[in-house]
Amino acid sequence: MATVKWLFLDLLLLFLLFHDAVADQSESNVEKITESKSLVHIGAIFDPDTLDGAIAEISMSLAVADFYALHPNYQTRLSVHFTTAKDLVTTAAAAVDLLKKFKVHAIIGPQIPAAAPFLVELGEKAQVPIISFFETSPALSPTEYPFFIRVTQNDSLHVKAISAVLQNFSWHEVVLMFEDADYGAGFISFLVDELQENDIRISHMSKIPTSAEDFQISKELSKLSTMQTRVFIVHMNTALASRLFALVDKKGMMSKGYTWIVTARLSNSLNVLDSEVIDSMEGVLGVRSHLPKSKELGLFDRRWKSKLHSMKPNSSVTEINISGLWAFDTIFALAKAIEKILSPTNPSIVNPNNPSESTTDFGSLGISRIGPILYNQILNTQLKGLSGEFHLVNGQLGSSVFEVVNVIGTGRVVGYWTSEKGLTQTLDSTSKNDLKRIIWPGDSIIAPTGWAIPNLVVGTPVKLGFPEFLRVHKDDYLNKNIYSGFCIDIFNAALEIVEGKLGMKIHPQFVPYEDANGEMAGTYDDLLLQIKLKKFDAVVGDISIVANRTDYVEFTLPYSESGVTMLVPVKRDNRHNMWIFLKPWTWDLWLTVFVACIFIALIIRTMERQTENSEFGGSPRRQLGMIFMFPFYAMVIPQRELVVRDCSKFVLVIWLWLAFILMQSYTASLSSILTVDQLEPTFADLKKLRTESHFVGFQNGSFVEDFLVKQLNFSSVSAIFEEIPYIKVFLKKYSSKYTTAGPIYRTDGLGFAFARGSPLISHFSQAILLVRENQTRMDQMEKKYFGENVMTPTLARSISSESSSLRAYNFSGLFIIVGIAALLALLISERYIWQKPVSLVNKYLTSQENPSNEAELVSQPTILQETDIAAGHSLSPGQAEDSGNSERTNSGHISGDTSAEEYETENVEAHHP
């Protein structure tokens, strides 16, 4: 069965070859053949002397012959008028000539991208479809020009495929090299938008004129070779790109570490390039339109080469590219659409061969009456062509499949990109972001990092103070600067880790930011601005990470903590203060102790009033004095019996316990004050500094100046504001004369600065983390420049201005316990305080339970017996005899702490009308 199939294909091939041989002879007889057919004129504008033009001419000629050989019964025939145009002027002239002289109903072309806008405008005016399978600017959108049809890949999907390749290898910075032409700039604008959307930075854009000489291209390559970025995207025509890559190879830029990516403009034509050009491009990656393999395509390739030798025997063209296949499929689609709208079976459409019903009405230029219908029919035409499925979406090919090709020979497909799956090894694969093995420039199989550091120019500040952080010393003997300090050691430690991770040697070149006098040439902000001006690649030093600086640089993670606080002189007044004995307690604690003394004395006086205790006897004046003196009297003469009752003794013990704790706390606090040199800040808060119009100082060139003026509202020395690392170093030397005060204003710390988007930022940030986690190494560096435990701990002195004296709140729990215990002892001792309320409550409850008896008692006259009065009850005459004994019994139970006389008197007064 397979043998029969191949035999059939061979016979078909022989037929088509024979058909091609007699095609030229049959052209002279075309009018005879088409006497009964409708002849439809189509124009084609390109340059047959160029590679793309020659390929298109051969493919279109074959397409016309093949289509009508396959459809001999069709009632229409295409007549393609090939015209030569080498520039914009000849293209315009050819288009007008085709419209006026031949009254064409569609134009294929142009080949020259610069002429495309004019031709599209002309086609819209004449209502003639303009069909292009050549490269045109993406700005010429078929959605905006209703008579324009683009039979090429979708540029918006093309740039997404390129972006996916960059993201797959984590390349976040690229250089764009493109032809300085309309189509080049238009495509690049699409690409730039896509890259920015995916956070891929464009470090440089290099425009190469189409007519550029080799020395001009070489000069541009020399400049690019000094940059850090090693990923280049090239968008050029085949002629210019061939010259470019020959010079790239000569410059040594096709070596290990470089990455070159070419767009479909070049990668679609890899098979037609000279072998020397291919050799210079080995290792390049290309993104091109997907071309499905088929037996028909193989047969057509043989026939196409045969046609090439017959039509252009001296041409340098050897192979067909995908644009030639698009040209072939375009003729098939156009012929199919014309047959459908101009067939005699469709009476609604006029016959173009009927002289009384011309389908065009060209005055000066003319308007095609079948043009709009033909345009819509082409958009709706679908067929399986040599380039794949031919169907148009919004005026251009709907294919969304791209190949990723590795230039080894004429190209090896290493993966595919689709809008649904992204990058895959095969079209059927479900594994995303996966490509086959790639051979990179320099025959490397390891994916390049995408950047390199030929020379890292590092700017440093020039400091007059704090050499512990950074010191620039001029060595006259060696005639060079020597850089040292904590910042330099941290940078070198991080650099060592980065070099090991990247497998490359980075040579930093330190340059001091100084003027002719050897002083710092500006502020720290001015220093960082030199990165944006490309004078420095990085800045190393005691650089504070501040938000407004991130507008023009990017910082690594901080290598040291930071913050801003106030440094002030101290004053010593503790040992020369006559009232120092009051300082251990605050005024609220003194007042609370005094109130507690009075409270305890009153409690004990109340409980001892009915005893024979002489301490609380005497005149009222003496008793009042005893109330004030008793708590202190008890502490001074504890061996004397001051109270009699047990409850009073309990309260006294509680009070002595409280007094003991207070005395011990007072003694400890006073001892600390008298033995430790207490320092007080001369200014405890910022409000005093502002209201008293004091001056505030800061380190020259520091961001603190801007912080003071804009955030703290100081016009510019009674106090100094500085970052905490400097204050720690300063206090290590002058801790006896200065201290910190006020709050800490947090900042993000000290770090290193690089250009925005620099690939070194992430690597140095990771390295700094590793350095800081190595506590032994950090301790060694800190000890080397700052001594023991200077940078690691918090500030040596409290930055708060709050007093260290003891407050009442510190003993509030103790006071509450003593107060509750004293009140409970009072209630137990003096039961009458709570017995009388309890008696009244019981009486009230009894009256609520017997309301009728209560009413009867109220209506009868009250006779009080002597015993009733003593018992505190009102009885009727009839109840006196029965209840007398009981009441007398009750009256006999009187509290041991209250005399019978007092109790009787209180009850009589309570029940007397």
Side-chain angles (χ1 to χ4, degrees):
M1 189 70 183
T3 305
V4 174
K5 181 179 180 181
W6 280 108
L7 179 62
F8 172 77
L9 291 175
D10 289 338
L11 291 174
L12 178 61
L13 175 61
L14 290 174
F15 168 78
L16 291 174
L17 290 173
F18 173 78
H19 180 271
D20 293 338
V22 301
D24 293 335
Q25 299 178 2
S26 63
E27 287 179 0
S28 60
N29 301 322
V30 68
E31 295 294 337
K32 296 179 182 179
I33 297 175
T34 59
E35 287 180 357
S36 60
K37 309 292 182 182
S38 297
L39 190 64
V40 181
H41 298 280
I42 301 297
I45 304 176
F46 48 81
D47 184 1
D49 295 331
T50 62
L51 185 146
D52 288 337
I55 292 175
E57 183 181 17
I58 298 171
S59 298
M60 292 170 65
S61 299
L62 279 174
V64 172
D66 288 359
F67 183 83
Y68 292 112
L70 294 173
H71 305 90
N73 297 325
Y74 273 24
Q75 300 301 308
T76 58
R77 289 291 183 271
L78 289 183
S79 176
V80 182
H81 301 272
F82 294 99
T83 57
T84 301
K86 297 181 179 294
D87 53 34
L88 176 60
V89 176
T90 55
T91 299
V96 173
D97 186 62
L98 288 171
L99 289 172
K100 284 188 174 183
K101 182 178 179 180
F102 296 100
K103 297 180 175 57
V104 296
H105 299 291
I107 296 177
I108 298 173
Q111 182 182 348
I112 302 172
F118 168 79
L119 192 58
V120 170
E121 292 282 356
L122 188 63
E124 185 175 2
K125 182 177 181 180
Q127 296 189 6
V128 171
I130 305 297
I131 308 171
S132 176
F133 45 77
F134 296 107
E135 192 78 25
T136 58
S137 172
L140 291 175
S141 172
T143 58
E144 296 182 7
Y145 297 93
F147 285 90
F148 179 51
I149 298 174
R150 179 187 285 140
V151 188
T152 60
Q153 71 274 345
N154 189 324
D155 287 329
S156 62
L157 297 178
H158 186 192
V159 296
K160 289 183 182 297
I162 295 174
S163 177
V165 173
L166 296 174
Q167 294 177 68
N168 183 66
F169 294 101
S170 300
W171 294 326
H172 300 291
E173 190 168 351
V174 298
V175 172
L176 301 183
M177 300 187 69
F178 58 96
E179 185 177 354
D180 190 8
D182 289 342
Y183 80 91
F187 177 83
I188 291 299
S189 65
F190 267 50
L191 182 58
V192 168
D193 292 342
E194 177 65 25
L195 297 183
Q196 290 178 346
E197 185 177 336
N198 291 282
D199 295 326
I200 299 174
R201 181 173 173 265
I202 300 171
S203 61
H204 184 72
M205 298 179 66
S206 178
K207 293 193 296 185
I208 307 295
T210 306
S211 59
E213 299 290 340
D214 285 356
F215 78 91
Q216 294 174 304
I217 301 175
S218 181
K219 184 179 179 180
E220 182 66 18
L221 290 174
S222 297
K223 182 174 70 174
L224 297 178
S225 66
T226 62
M227 296 183 177
Q228 296 182 11
T229 307
R230 288 291 186 263
V231 180
F232 302 89
I233 299 178
V234 179
H235 181 68
M236 298 177 182
N237 63 44
T238 54
L240 184 59
S242 298
R243 294 166 52 206
L244 171 71
F245 279 104
L247 293 172
V248 167
D249 190 34
K250 186 177 180 180
K251 282 280 185 182
M253 298 176 65
M254 196 60 70
S255 57
K256 185 177 180 180
Y258 283 89
T259 301
W260 295 87
I261 300 175
V262 295
T263 64
R265 182 75 174 92
L266 179 60
S267 55
N268 280 339
S269 302
L270 288 175
N271 60 331
V272 301
L273 295 179
D274 187 86
S275 59
E276 293 183 0
V277 176
I278 291 296
D279 291 341
S280 67
M281 293 178 61
E282 283 195 357
V284 171
L285 280 185
V287 177
R288 68 185 183 188
S289 302
H290 172 54
L291 183 62
K293 302 296 182 182
S294 64
K295 295 289 178 50
E296 293 81 3
L297 182 59
L299 292 173
F300 176 78
D301 183 64
R302 294 171 59 184
R303 293 178 52 244
W304 187 91
K305 290 179 180 178
S306 176
K307 186 72 172 179
L308 169 67
H309 293 310
S310 63
M311 290 183 61
K312 300 179 181 294
N314 299 323
S315 175
S316 60
V317 180
T318 58
E319 299 286 343
I320 187 174
N321 58 16
I322 195 169
S323 63
L325 300 179
W326 285 333
F328 185 92
D329 291 343
T330 298
I331 293 296
F332 262 60
L334 187 58
K336 188 174 182 181
I338 287 176
E339 174 66 22
K340 189 164 186 177
I341 66 172
L342 296 180
S343 173
T345 59
N346 191 348
S348 62
I349 304 299
V350 296
N351 190 332
N353 289 335
N354 189 337
S356 63
E357 295 184 346
S358 176
T359 57
T360 56
D361 181 16
F362 296 101
S364 59
L365 185 61
I367 297 176
S368 173
R369 287 200 286 261
I370 70 169
I373 303 173
L374 177 59
Y375 171 77
N376 292 325
Q377 188 60 46
I378 294 173
L379 294 182
N380 294 326
T381 299
Q382 296 187 20
L383 54 90
K384 185 176 181 180
L386 294 177
S387 63
E389 293 294 332
F390 184 97
H391 69 281
L392 301 174
V393 178
N394 295 326
Q396 59 187 7
L397 281 181
S399 175
S400 61
V401 181
F402 288 85
E403 296 176 351
V404 181
V405 59
N406 186 201
V407 181
I408 300 296
T410 56
R412 180 175 64 92
V413 177
V414 295
Y416 299 87
W417 181 90
T418 62
S419 56
E420 296 81 13
K421 297 181 179 180
L423 288 176
T424 56
Q425 284 194 10
T426 64
L427 289 175
D428 298 330
S429 175
T430 58
S431 176
K432 295 184 179 180
N433 299 324
D434 188 20
L435 297 175
K436 298 176 182 178
R437 193 180 71 166
I438 298 173
I439 305 298
W440 302 96
D443 293 329
S444 173
I445 59 173
I446 301 175
T449 60
W451 55 274
I453 312 295
N455 291 304
L456 186 67
V457 181
V458 180
T460 65
V462 178
K463 298 181 65 65
L464 297 178
F466 296 103
E468 296 89 349
F469 289 94
L470 177 65
R471 182 171 182 261
V472 182
H473 172 64
K474 181 66 176 293
D475 190 323
D476 296 329
Y477 179 75
L478 298 176
N479 194 26
K480 67 176 184 179
N481 291 324
I482 305 299
Y483 298 85
S484 60
F486 180 69
C487 302
I488 298 297
D489 282 9
I490 290 287
F491 176 78
N492 289 333
L495 179 63
E496 182 182 340
I497 296 175
V498 171
E499 290 177 338
K501 181 178 180 181
L502 297 178
M504 65 173 66
K505 194 70 176 177
I506 301 175
H507 302 282
Q509 179 185 352
F510 293 102
V511 178
Y513 183 55
E514 61 183 2
D515 55 19
N517 299 323
E519 299 178 354
M520 190 157 172
T523 65
Y524 276 68
D525 288 338
D526 297 331
L527 170 59
L528 294 174
L529 193 60
Q530 305 308 305
I531 296 179
K532 183 178 181 180
L533 299 177
K534 298 188 182 300
K535 293 183 179 180
F536 297 144
D537 298 319
V539 169
V540 170
D542 48 342
I543 310 298
S544 297
I545 302 174
V546 185
N548 61 353
R549 292 175 174 174
T550 58
D551 293 337
Y552 44 90
V553 297
E554 285 191 34
F555 291 97
T556 62
L557 291 176
Y559 62 82
S560 176
E561 66 173 4
S562 190
V564 177
T565 191
M566 184 169 60
L567 184 70
V568 297
V570 297
K571 59 181 180 180
R572 298 177 176 82
D573 59 356
N574 288 343
R575 295 184 179 180
H576 306 285
N577 187 354
M578 62 182 294
W579 301 103
I580 193 173
F581 70 91
L582 295 175
K583 191 170 183 179
W585 291 353
T586 58
W587 66 268
D588 58 335
L589 182 54
W590 283 110
L591 180 60
T592 304
V593 171
F594 178 76
V595 172
C597 291
I598 303 301
F599 174 75
I600 294 298
L602 288 174
I603 291 291
I604 294 178
R605 166 68 181 84
T606 301
M607 292 188 295
E608 294 288 318
R609 75 183 191 284
Q610 296 299 329
T611 65
E612 297 179 355
N613 191 343
S614 60
E615 298 294 340
F616 292 95
S619 63
R621 182 177 180 179
R622 184 182 182 280
Q623 293 185 35
L624 181 62
M626 190 59 184
I627 288 175
F628 285 101
M629 296 297 297
F630 179 79
F632 304 100
Y633 195 45
M635 290 187 293
V636 175
I637 313 176
Q639 71 275 12
R640 185 170 177 177
E641 190 76 21
L642 299 177
V643 294
V644 176
R645 300 185 62 183
D646 292 338
C647 289
S648 300
K649 293 179 181 180
F650 172 76
V651 173
L652 184 58
V653 170
I654 292 296
W655 161 247
L656 291 176
W657 174 62
L658 171 63
F660 176 77
I661 294 176
L662 291 173
M663 289 172 61
Q664 293 296 320
S665 301
Y666 176 87
T667 302
S669 180
L670 182 60
S671 299
S672 174
I673 292 173
L674 293 175
T675 57
V676 178
D677 187 14
Q678 296 290 319
L679 304 179
E680 293 185 7
T682 52
F683 300 97
D685 53 54
L686 301 179
K687 184 177 180 181
K688 185 176 181 181
L689 280 175
R690 293 194 186 98
T691 56
E692 298 182 5
S693 301
H694 291 277
F695 291 99
V696 176
F698 50 86
Q699 190 176 179
N700 185 33
S702 172
F703 81 98
V704 176
E705 177 183 5
D706 187 63
F707 172 78
L708 291 174
V709 173
K710 292 186 177 180
Q711 297 191 34
L712 301 184
N713 300 318
F714 283 105
S715 58
S716 157
V717 177
S718 300
I720 294 176
F721 272 85
E722 193 49 80
E723 296 174 82
I724 290 176
Y726 303 109
I727 290 180
K728 288 181 177 181
V729 175
F730 185 84
L731 289 178
K732 180 177 180 290
K733 298 179 180 180
Y734 307 104
S735 59
S736 63
K737 297 180 180 180
Y738 298 90
T739 188
T740 56
I744 287 181
Y745 299 93
R746 294 293 178 186
T747 60
D748 292 326
L750 305 180
F752 304 134
F754 289 85
R756 288 179 60 83
S758 172
L760 284 175
I761 294 174
S762 60
H763 295 292
F764 265 92
S765 293
Q766 294 174 5
I768 288 172
L769 287 178
L770 293 175
V771 172
R772 296 192 65 178
E773 289 175 359
N774 189 341
Q775 193 61 45
T776 302
R777 190 169 187 179
M778 282 295 295
D779 291 343
Q780 290 174 350
M781 288 188 287
E782 291 176 356
K783 183 179 179 180
K784 177 181 177 182
Y785 294 103
F786 309 113
E788 295 283 353
N789 300 325
V790 175
M791 298 301 290
T792 51
T794 56
L795 290 176
R797 300 190 181 276
S798 172
I799 61 172
S800 174
S801 61
E802 295 182 359
S803 172
S804 60
S805 301
L806 297 173
R807 298 180 177 275
Y809 179 78
N810 302 128
F811 299 96
S812 57
L814 189 61
F815 284 119
I816 291 173
I817 293 174
V818 171
I820 293 174
L823 289 175
L824 288 175
L826 179 63
L827 292 175
I828 294 172
S829 175
E830 308 300 312
R831 279 179 282 180
Y832 70 89
I833 296 176
W834 55 270
Q835 281 181 340
K836 183 177 180 179
V838 170
S839 176
L840 292 175
V841 171
N842 289 334
K843 180 180 178 182
Y844 174 77
L845 294 176
T846 303
S847 64
Q848 292 296 320
E849 293 175 357
N850 302 291
S852 59
N853 294 337
E854 182 69 20
E856 181 181 355
L857 289 173
V858 173
S859 63
Q860 295 178 357
T862 303
I863 301 175
L864 296 177
Q865 302 293 332
E866 182 177 353
T867 56
D868 296 332
I869 294 174
H873 292 277
S874 297
L875 302 175
S876 63
Q879 294 172 315
E881 183 178 356
D882 296 331
S883 61
N885 295 331
S886 174
E887 295 299 329
R888 289 187 184 93
T889 303
N890 291 336
S891 64
H893 295 281
I894 302 174
S895 172
D897 295 330
T898 305
S899 66
E901 182 180 354
E902 289 178 339
Y903 190 81
E904 180 180 336
T905 303
E906 290 176 357
N907 281 278
V908 170
E909 291 175 351
H911 294 276
H912 199 277

